[in-house]
Amino acid sequence: MQRRVVFALPALPLSGSVLGYGPWEASSPRPSLDAPEIRIPSGTVVHVRLGRELDAVRNRAGDGFYAVLETAVVVGGRVAVPWGAGFHGYVVSARPGGVLKGHASLVVCLDSFELRGRSYAVATTPHDAAGESQSGRGGGLIGAVRGVGALVGGKPPAHIPAGTVLTFALKDSVWVGRRAI
C-alpha cells in the first residue's frame, strides 16, 4: 500500500513585492534590455574592470587593453549597456619616471565597447595613474655614487594592477541600438 502525502500551501498573491519589485519603484520602471535605441549622454560615468596589468615601464603609448563593464549603464530606467560588456582602451602616455625624470605617469582612455555583436566608438576622459616622485633625491644620490659610477634603485613606476576598477566619463553622447547604424 502506498501512502500519499499532500502538502497544503496557502495561496500567495503574485504581487510586485514577491516578484522583486514593488510600489516603491512605481515612479522608476525596471531597466529593460529590449530598448530599440538609447542615447547615452556625455558626462555619463563608466566603471570598468581592467583585464590585465598595465605599467609605465612595459607599456607604451598606443598599446591596447581590454576591460569589462563593472556596473550597467542605465539611462532613463533602461539598460543602455549591460554589466559585463567588453570595452577596449589604449595607453595615451607612459612615462616610467626615474631619479632625474621626476613623476612616473600612466594615462589610459577607452575608445570603444561591444554590445550585441556591434562595436560602438566612444571618447572618454583620461585616467591617470601617477607614480611617486623621485625628483629631489637625484642630487644627493648622484653625489653619493659619483665615485662608484652607477645609480641603482628608485621607487616603483606608475602601474595599474589587473582587476582594478577604473572610472571614466564620456566626452560625447553615444547612441546604442538602431540609430547607431
PDB file of all heavy atoms in Angstrom, residues 6-20:
ATOM      1  N   VAL A   6       0.210  14.916   1.033  1.00  0.00           N
ATOM      2  CA  VAL A   6      -0.227  16.133   0.367  1.00  0.00           C
ATOM      3  C   VAL A   6       0.072  17.303   1.289  1.00  0.00           C
ATOM      4  O   VAL A   6      -0.282  17.292   2.456  1.00  0.00           O
ATOM      5  CB  VAL A   6      -1.739  16.080   0.042  1.00  0.00           C
ATOM      6  CG1 VAL A   6      -2.192  17.373  -0.597  1.00  0.00           C
ATOM      7  CG2 VAL A   6      -2.052  14.884  -0.822  1.00  0.00           C
ATOM      8  N   PHE A   7       0.762  18.279   0.739  1.00  0.00           N
ATOM      9  CA  PHE A   7       1.054  19.486   1.493  1.00  0.00           C
ATOM     10  C   PHE A   7       0.144  20.586   0.993  1.00  0.00           C
ATOM     11  O   PHE A   7       0.026  20.818  -0.208  1.00  0.00           O
ATOM     12  CB  PHE A   7       2.506  19.932   1.309  1.00  0.00           C
ATOM     13  CG  PHE A   7       3.495  18.976   1.898  1.00  0.00           C
ATOM     14  CD1 PHE A   7       4.138  18.039   1.106  1.00  0.00           C
ATOM     15  CD2 PHE A   7       3.779  19.012   3.249  1.00  0.00           C
ATOM     16  CE1 PHE A   7       5.049  17.166   1.649  1.00  0.00           C
ATOM     17  CE2 PHE A   7       4.688  18.141   3.802  1.00  0.00           C
ATOM     18  CZ  PHE A   7       5.331  17.207   2.998  1.00  0.00           C
ATOM     19  N   ALA A   8      -0.457  21.257   1.898  1.00  0.00           N
ATOM     20  CA  ALA A   8      -1.320  22.383   1.533  1.00  0.00           C
ATOM     21  C   ALA A   8      -0.558  23.668   1.820  1.00  0.00           C
ATOM     22  O   ALA A   8      -0.137  23.913   2.942  1.00  0.00           O
ATOM     23  CB  ALA A   8      -2.615  22.337   2.319  1.00  0.00           C
ATOM     24  N   LEU A   9      -0.338  24.438   0.792  1.00  0.00           N
ATOM     25  CA  LEU A   9       0.334  25.720   0.945  1.00  0.00           C
ATOM     26  C   LEU A   9      -0.685  26.827   0.759  1.00  0.00           C
ATOM     27  O   LEU A   9      -1.530  26.758  -0.120  1.00  0.00           O
ATOM     28  CB  LEU A   9       1.445  25.882  -0.097  1.00  0.00           C
ATOM     29  CG  LEU A   9       2.590  24.877  -0.001  1.00  0.00           C
ATOM     30  CD1 LEU A   9       3.537  25.064  -1.172  1.00  0.00           C
ATOM     31  CD2 LEU A   9       3.337  25.061   1.301  1.00  0.00           C
ATOM     32  N   PRO A  10      -0.588  27.856   1.570  1.00  0.00           N
ATOM     33  CA  PRO A  10      -1.518  28.969   1.377  1.00  0.00           C
ATOM     34  C   PRO A  10      -1.213  29.649   0.046  1.00  0.00           C
ATOM     35  O   PRO A  10      -0.082  29.697  -0.409  1.00  0.00           O
ATOM     36  CB  PRO A  10      -1.223  29.896   2.555  1.00  0.00           C
ATOM     37  CG  PRO A  10       0.154  29.536   2.996  1.00  0.00           C
ATOM     38  CD  PRO A  10       0.327  28.088   2.658  1.00  0.00           C
ATOM     39  N   ALA A  11      -2.207  30.154  -0.586  1.00  0.00           N
ATOM     40  CA  ALA A  11      -2.037  30.848  -1.872  1.00  0.00           C
ATOM     41  C   ALA A  11      -1.299  32.161  -1.639  1.00  0.00           C
ATOM     42  O   ALA A  11      -1.652  32.937  -0.757  1.00  0.00           O
ATOM     43  CB  ALA A  11      -3.406  31.101  -2.503  1.00  0.00           C
ATOM     44  N   LEU A  12      -0.269  32.364  -2.404  1.00  0.00           N
ATOM     45  CA  LEU A  12       0.497  33.597  -2.297  1.00  0.00           C
ATOM     46  C   LEU A  12       0.095  34.528  -3.435  1.00  0.00           C
ATOM     47  O   LEU A  12       0.083  34.127  -4.586  1.00  0.00           O
ATOM     48  CB  LEU A  12       1.999  33.316  -2.407  1.00  0.00           C
ATOM     49  CG  LEU A  12       2.609  32.511  -1.275  1.00  0.00           C
ATOM     50  CD1 LEU A  12       4.060  32.200  -1.598  1.00  0.00           C
ATOM     51  CD2 LEU A  12       2.508  33.277   0.018  1.00  0.00           C
ATOM     52  N   PRO A  13      -0.215  35.750  -3.101  1.00  0.00           N
ATOM     53  CA  PRO A  13      -0.541  36.677  -4.177  1.00  0.00           C
ATOM     54  C   PRO A  13       0.732  36.993  -4.963  1.00  0.00           C
ATOM     55  O   PRO A  13       1.805  37.146  -4.397  1.00  0.00           O
ATOM     56  CB  PRO A  13      -1.058  37.918  -3.443  1.00  0.00           C
ATOM     57  CG  PRO A  13      -0.405  37.843  -2.093  1.00  0.00           C
ATOM     58  CD  PRO A  13      -0.280  36.368  -1.792  1.00  0.00           C
ATOM     59  N   LEU A  14       0.636  37.061  -6.267  1.00  0.00           N
ATOM     60  CA  LEU A  14       1.790  37.381  -7.095  1.00  0.00           C
ATOM     61  C   LEU A  14       1.883  38.883  -7.266  1.00  0.00           C
ATOM     62  O   LEU A  14       1.708  39.434  -8.326  1.00  0.00           O
ATOM     63  CB  LEU A  14       1.690  36.678  -8.446  1.00  0.00           C
ATOM     64  CG  LEU A  14       1.789  35.164  -8.382  1.00  0.00           C
ATOM     65  CD1 LEU A  14       1.636  34.563  -9.758  1.00  0.00           C
ATOM     66  CD2 LEU A  14       3.109  34.735  -7.775  1.00  0.00           C
ATOM     67  N   SER A  15       2.163  39.541  -6.174  1.00  0.00           N
ATOM     68  CA  SER A  15       2.273  40.994  -6.201  1.00  0.00           C
ATOM     69  C   SER A  15       3.690  41.388  -6.587  1.00  0.00           C
ATOM     70  O   SER A  15       4.580  40.563  -6.673  1.00  0.00           O
ATOM     71  CB  SER A  15       1.944  41.578  -4.829  1.00  0.00           C
ATOM     72  OG  SER A  15       2.939  41.187  -3.909  1.00  0.00           O
ATOM     73  N   GLY A  16       3.882  42.678  -6.786  1.00  0.00           N
ATOM     74  CA  GLY A  16       5.189  43.191  -7.158  1.00  0.00           C
ATOM     75  C   GLY A  16       6.250  42.877  -6.127  1.00  0.00           C
ATOM     76  O   GLY A  16       7.386  42.602  -6.466  1.00  0.00           O
ATOM     77  N   SER A  17       5.895  42.877  -4.829  1.00  0.00           N
ATOM     78  CA  SER A  17       6.898  42.637  -3.804  1.00  0.00           C
ATOM     79  C   SER A  17       7.406  41.205  -3.842  1.00  0.00           C
ATOM     80  O   SER A  17       8.553  40.949  -3.549  1.00  0.00           O
ATOM     81  CB  SER A  17       6.356  42.979  -2.421  1.00  0.00           C
ATOM     82  OG  SER A  17       5.232  42.187  -2.146  1.00  0.00           O
ATOM     83  N   VAL A  18       6.590  40.243  -4.234  1.00  0.00           N
ATOM     84  CA  VAL A  18       7.016  38.859  -4.334  1.00  0.00           C
ATOM     85  C   VAL A  18       7.915  38.677  -5.558  1.00  0.00           C
ATOM     86  O   VAL A  18       8.866  37.922  -5.551  1.00  0.00           O
ATOM     87  CB  VAL A  18       5.802  37.911  -4.414  1.00  0.00           C
ATOM     88  CG1 VAL A  18       6.240  36.492  -4.717  1.00  0.00           C
ATOM     89  CG2 VAL A  18       5.035  37.959  -3.115  1.00  0.00           C
ATOM     90  N   LEU A  19       7.639  39.415  -6.637  1.00  0.00           N
ATOM     91  CA  LEU A  19       8.407  39.281  -7.867  1.00  0.00           C
ATOM     92  C   LEU A  19       9.708  40.086  -7.856  1.00  0.00           C
ATOM     93  O   LEU A  19      10.459  40.061  -8.804  1.00  0.00           O
ATOM     94  CB  LEU A  19       7.555  39.711  -9.061  1.00  0.00           C
ATOM     95  CG  LEU A  19       6.310  38.848  -9.305  1.00  0.00           C
ATOM     96  CD1 LEU A  19       5.483  39.432 -10.419  1.00  0.00           C
ATOM     97  CD2 LEU A  19       6.701  37.417  -9.615  1.00  0.00           C
ATOM     98  N   GLY A  20       9.966  40.836  -6.803  1.00  0.00           N
ATOM     99  CA  GLY A  20      11.228  41.545  -6.702  1.00  0.00           C
ATOM    100  C   GLY A  20      11.122  43.033  -6.944  1.00  0.00           C
ATOM    101  O   GLY A  20      12.116  43.730  -6.958  1.00  0.00           O
TER     102      GLY A  20
END
